[in-house]
Amino acid sequence: MFCKLFILNIKRFFKNNRMMVLILLFSQIISVVVSLMAYGMIMNTKRETESAGYSERFLDASAYTDVYMPMEEVKDSLYKLLNQYGNKVRSVDLDGYDKEEKTIIWMHFTYRNNNIVMDDEWKNSILDTQPNRIGRFYTDDEFYSGKKVLITNGGYDDIKKCYINGTEYEVVGHFYEEGYSGYSDYKVVEMPFFSADDDLPICGVGIQLATLPTVSEYNVFAKEMVRLYDNQVNVYMPEKFSNDTKDMYKTYLVIAAIILGMSIINIGIVYGYILRTRNKYNAILSLCGGRKYQIVIINLLEIITICIVSYGLAVLLFNNVITPYVKDIFVYFTDIFDRYLYEDFLAIYLLAVIICAVYNILKVLNKQTITFIRGGGRK
C-alpha cells in the first residue's frame, strides 16, 4: 500500500507540476555542477602547488658582477626571510666568492623550527650521486660547531688545507659533482654555514620553498634582496606562482557554501509551493488514517528522487562535458574526481536536502488539516 502511494505520488507530481519540476531540476543541476567546479579548482591548485618542480619553488637572487656583501649583513637579511617563511623552507643556498683565490664558495642548509640546520636531504643526494669522491663529508658536529672545514668540488685535488678569504680551512673530502667539476679558471668548495667568517663575500642567495611561492612571498624576498645589495642585484622571477592559497581556499569555500545555500533555499521555496498545492490530498490522507510520518516519508522520497536524478545528470554533465573542456587548464581534474568523491558529495547534498525538505513538509502538514476543515486550501 505504501509503495503504491509513493509511486502514485511521483506520477501525479511529474504530471501536475511539469514546469516546477523542470525549474527544480535545472536549478539543482547548476548548483551541483558549480559546487563540483569550485571544489575541483581548490584541489587542483593544491596539487599543482605540492607537485611543483625545484626551479619553480626557488627564490633566487644574484648580485651584479664584482658586487658582494659581507656574510654578517647577509645573515641579518637571511634570518628575517627565514622567520617569514618558517617551516615552508625546503633548502637554502648561499654563494660566495674569494676573488684572490679565484674560488667559488657554496653553502647548503635548511631551516626547521626557527633554527638553521644541516640539509640532510641535500647531503644524502650528494653522497648517493658521487661514488668517485675522496675522503668524507663534513659531520653534523663540524657543521654546528663552526669548525673550519670544507669539501672541494673541483680545483683543489689532493690537498689537505686551503685558504678562503684569508682563513685556513681543513679539506676533509673531494667531491666531483656532475656539471660543476669542469671549471678551468675557478676552484669550487662547499663549507658549513656556521664555518663562514663574517666578512666572507656573498654574491648570491637562494631559498627553495616546499611549495610554489605566492606573489607576496616573492615580493618580500625581492624587496629584501634589493635593499641588501642596494639595487645591484638580479632577483629572478619564478616560473609560476601559487595563489595566496589560504585566501583563495576561503573564497572558493564561501562561494561553494553560498551556492549550496541558494540550492537549499530554492528547494524550500519551490517544493514548499508544490506542497501547499496538495493541501486537499494530504488532508484526505490524514483523515483516512494516514499517519503523519507516512505522509512525511512519501513526500520526502519524492524530493529525494528528484535530487538524485538532478545529481546524476549534473555528474554526467560535469564528467563528460566540462571536465574534458577544462582538463588542459586544471590538469588534475581527472585524478581528483573519482567514484568515492562523487558518493561523498551525494551524501552531503542529500543530507542538506533532507533537512530542508523535512522542515517544509512538517510546516505544511501542521497547518493543512485545520485549513482544509475551515474551507481553505486548493480544491
Side-chain angles (χ1 to χ4, degrees):
M1 182 65 180
F2 182 83
C3 291
K4 289 182 179 180
L5 281 174
F6 167 62
I7 295 171
L8 178 62
N9 216 45
I10 287 288
K11 289 181 178 179
R12 292 179 69 255
F13 179 68
F14 280 90
K15 181 179 179 180
N16 299 333
N17 302 279
R18 289 180 183 175
M19 185 56 67
M20 286 298 178
V21 169
L22 290 175
I23 292 173
L24 203 55
L25 282 172
F26 178 77
S27 63
Q28 295 311 298
I29 289 171
I30 296 300
S31 298
V32 171
V33 167
V34 176
S35 297
L36 290 171
M37 191 73 184
Y39 177 82
M41 291 170 68
I42 294 172
M43 297 308 297
N44 186 82
T45 303
K46 187 173 185 293
R47 292 201 183 185
E48 279 187 345
T49 300
E50 291 172 347
S51 63
Y54 177 87
S55 62
E56 295 172 335
R57 293 181 277 115
F58 207 76
L59 299 171
D60 193 17
S62 180
Y64 294 168
T65 303
D66 293 330
V67 175
Y68 308 97
M69 290 301 296
M71 183 67 165
E72 184 176 21
E73 293 189 33
V74 173
K75 280 183 178 179
D76 292 337
S77 293
L78 183 64
Y79 278 118
K80 186 187 300 183
L81 291 170
L82 294 180
N83 287 331
Q84 177 92 12
Y85 301 144
N87 284 338
K88 191 177 179 182
V89 175
R90 181 75 173 270
S91 65
V92 185
D93 175 24
L94 294 183
D95 297 335
Y97 183 64
D98 185 337
K99 193 171 184 179
E100 184 176 337
E101 296 289 338
K102 291 187 176 181
T103 300
I104 296 171
I105 304 144
W106 293 338
M107 284 168 274
H108 291 84
F109 49 94
T110 188
Y111 188 73
R112 293 288 180 273
N113 301 319
N114 300 319
N115 291 296
I116 287 178
V117 297
M118 172 87 83
D119 189 349
D120 290 326
E121 184 179 351
W122 174 81
K123 175 184 175 181
N124 291 333
S125 71
I126 297 299
L127 294 175
D128 292 342
T129 57
Q130 297 184 32
N132 298 322
R133 60 185 181 273
I134 300 172
R136 62 177 177 83
F137 206 90
Y138 51 76
T139 66
D140 287 5
D141 288 341
E142 289 168 338
F143 178 86
Y144 293 110
S145 67
K147 187 176 180 179
K148 301 301 182 183
V149 296
L150 53 75
I151 58 175
T152 69
N153 204 280
Y156 274 117
D157 297 348
D158 301 323
I159 63 171
K160 300 296 183 182
K161 295 181 180 179
C162 68
Y163 287 87
I164 301 296
N165 200 39
T167 299
E168 183 181 282
Y169 284 79
E170 177 188 356
V171 179
V172 297
H174 299 279
F175 287 68
Y176 303 93
E177 187 173 351
E178 185 179 353
Y180 293 101
S181 60
Y183 290 102
S184 57
D185 299 325
Y186 300 99
K187 293 168 284 188
V188 182
V189 300
E190 168 80 31
M191 70 169 59
F193 172 78
F194 297 109
S195 300
D197 293 332
D198 285 342
D199 60 347
L200 182 71
I202 301 298
C203 57
V205 178
I207 300 177
Q208 183 200 12
L209 302 179
T211 60
L212 284 174
T214 64
V215 173
S216 59
E217 287 169 340
Y218 166 76
N219 288 338
V220 167
F221 178 80
K223 183 178 180 181
E224 186 60 33
M225 290 297 101
V226 168
R227 185 202 65 78
L228 175 65
Y229 285 98
D230 194 24
N231 290 316
Q232 300 183 70
V233 64
N234 292 312
V235 182
Y236 301 101
M237 183 81 71
E239 294 179 21
K240 59 182 177 180
F241 291 103
S242 167
N243 294 312
D244 288 319
T245 51
K246 288 184 179 179
D247 292 337
M248 183 199 65
Y249 292 165
K250 288 178 182 177
T251 301
Y252 284 160
L253 288 173
V254 168
I255 291 172
I258 290 173
I259 293 167
L260 181 60
M262 291 176 65
S263 173
I264 302 305
I265 292 171
N266 177 68
I267 291 174
I269 294 172
V270 177
Y271 194 64
Y273 169 79
I274 293 171
L275 284 172
R276 287 191 295 273
T277 65
R278 19 171 112 145
N279 279 350
K280 182 177 179 178
Y281 176 75
N282 288 329
I284 291 173
L285 287 178
S286 298
L287 293 173
C288 292
R291 296 180 180 274
K292 182 182 288 187
Y293 78 87
Q294 292 175 323
I295 300 174
V296 169
I297 292 174
I298 289 172
N299 287 279
L300 186 59
L301 289 175
E302 182 180 82
I303 190 63
I304 288 175
T305 301
I306 292 176
C307 289
I308 290 176
V309 170
S310 62
Y311 185 83
L313 292 173
V315 169
L316 287 174
L317 175 65
F318 183 79
N319 223 22
N320 298 310
V321 179
I322 295 177
T323 298
Y325 183 75
V326 301
K327 67 179 182 180
D328 293 334
I329 303 172
F330 303 108
V331 294
Y332 293 102
F333 256 42
T334 53
D335 296 330
I336 292 168
F337 292 97
D338 56 19
R339 179 171 65 87
Y340 301 104
L341 182 64
Y342 286 131
E343 289 174 356
D344 291 341
F345 258 90
L346 177 60
I348 296 170
Y349 174 59
L350 286 181
L351 179 61
V353 168
I354 288 170
I355 292 172
C356 178
V358 168
Y359 169 78
N360 278 279
I361 293 168
L362 290 175
K363 184 179 177 182
V364 172
L365 288 180
N366 287 335
K367 296 180 179 180
Q368 68 180 12
T369 303
I370 296 174
T371 304
F372 177 67
I373 291 172
R374 289 176 179 174
R378 295 193 176 221
K379 306 294 183 181

